[in-house]
């Protein structure tokens, strides 16, 4: 947003909302009214991975932008924060350049350490105030 991409990301959010509503049964929630976006970069020379956490969003869109070759840095999902199984691994996602994953912000997740190459991802936190 700070570098002038707010309107582009707002347009992306307009696509994210109907998908989120359908996938996560958000019928009672009004549409997203704000967003926060940033880029993460994992490589041997920078951040290797990211500890388990939850996002400050209703729904997060995570788009793998590149680089073209990397190994490791899988996205590990656990249960929803506050649930009895919030520390149990439920799914492992292997990023591919040009693909995205959509998940609830309260879903605990983290990135394994990268083994080789560089992975760059655009993160869009969809927020409903």
């Amino acid at each position: 947003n700070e570098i002038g991409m707010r309107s582009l990301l707002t347009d992306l959010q307009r696509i994210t909302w109907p998908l989120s509503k359908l996938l996560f049964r958000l019928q009672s929630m009004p549409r997203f009214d704000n967003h926060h976006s940033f880029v993460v970069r994992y490589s041997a020379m920078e951040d290797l991975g990211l500890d388990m956490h939850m996002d400050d969003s209703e729904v997060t869109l995570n788009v793998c932008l590149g680089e073209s070759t990397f190994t490791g840095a899988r996205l590990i999902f656990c249960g929803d924060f506050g649930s009895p199984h919030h520390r149990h691994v439920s799914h492992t996602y292997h990023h591919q350049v040009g693909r995205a994953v959509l998940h609830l912000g309260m879903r605990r997740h983290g990135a394994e350490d990268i083994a080789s190459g560089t992975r760059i991802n655009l993160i869009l936190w969809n927020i409903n105030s």
Side-chain angles (χ1 to χ4, degrees):
N1 294 341
E2 288 81 17
I3 62 170
M5 295 183 65
R6 176 174 285 282
S7 63
L8 172 68
L9 294 169
T10 299
D11 289 343
L12 183 57
Q13 186 178 48
R14 287 187 187 113
I15 297 166
T16 305
W17 168 244
L19 291 171
S20 298
K21 188 175 175 181
L22 178 68
L23 292 172
F24 305 120
R25 299 182 180 99
L26 302 177
Q27 278 69 17
S28 62
M29 181 188 296
R31 66 182 178 82
F32 303 132
D33 59 13
N34 204 351
H35 56 77
H36 174 70
S37 58
F38 52 96
V39 172
V40 294
R41 180 182 178 102
Y42 300 103
S43 77
M45 304 305 280
E46 299 175 69
D47 291 331
L48 292 174
L50 184 62
D51 288 337
M52 298 302 284
H53 66 281
M54 59 180 262
D55 295 339
D56 191 16
S57 70
E58 267 54 69
V59 174
T60 297
L61 177 67
N62 183 332
V63 183
C64 187
L65 303 175
E67 306 260 324
S68 59
T69 58
F70 60 87
T71 58
R74 298 180 304 172
L75 194 57
I76 306 299
F77 288 98
C78 291
D80 292 340
F81 185 77
S83 76
H85 302 288
H86 76 278
R87 294 192 182 273
H88 298 263
V89 172
S90 62
H91 184 72
T92 301
Y93 179 78
H94 300 268
H95 281 286
Q96 295 180 39
V97 175
R99 297 212 176 163
V101 62
L102 194 64
H103 65 84
L104 292 171
M106 64 189 266
R107 176 73 55 166
R108 288 188 76 243
H109 62 285
E112 289 183 327
D113 284 354
I114 195 159
S116 67
T118 302
R119 176 166 71 80
I120 302 170
N121 288 61
L122 169 66
I123 311 296
L124 177 64
W125 285 355
N126 296 282
I127 301 165
N128 185 304
S129 54

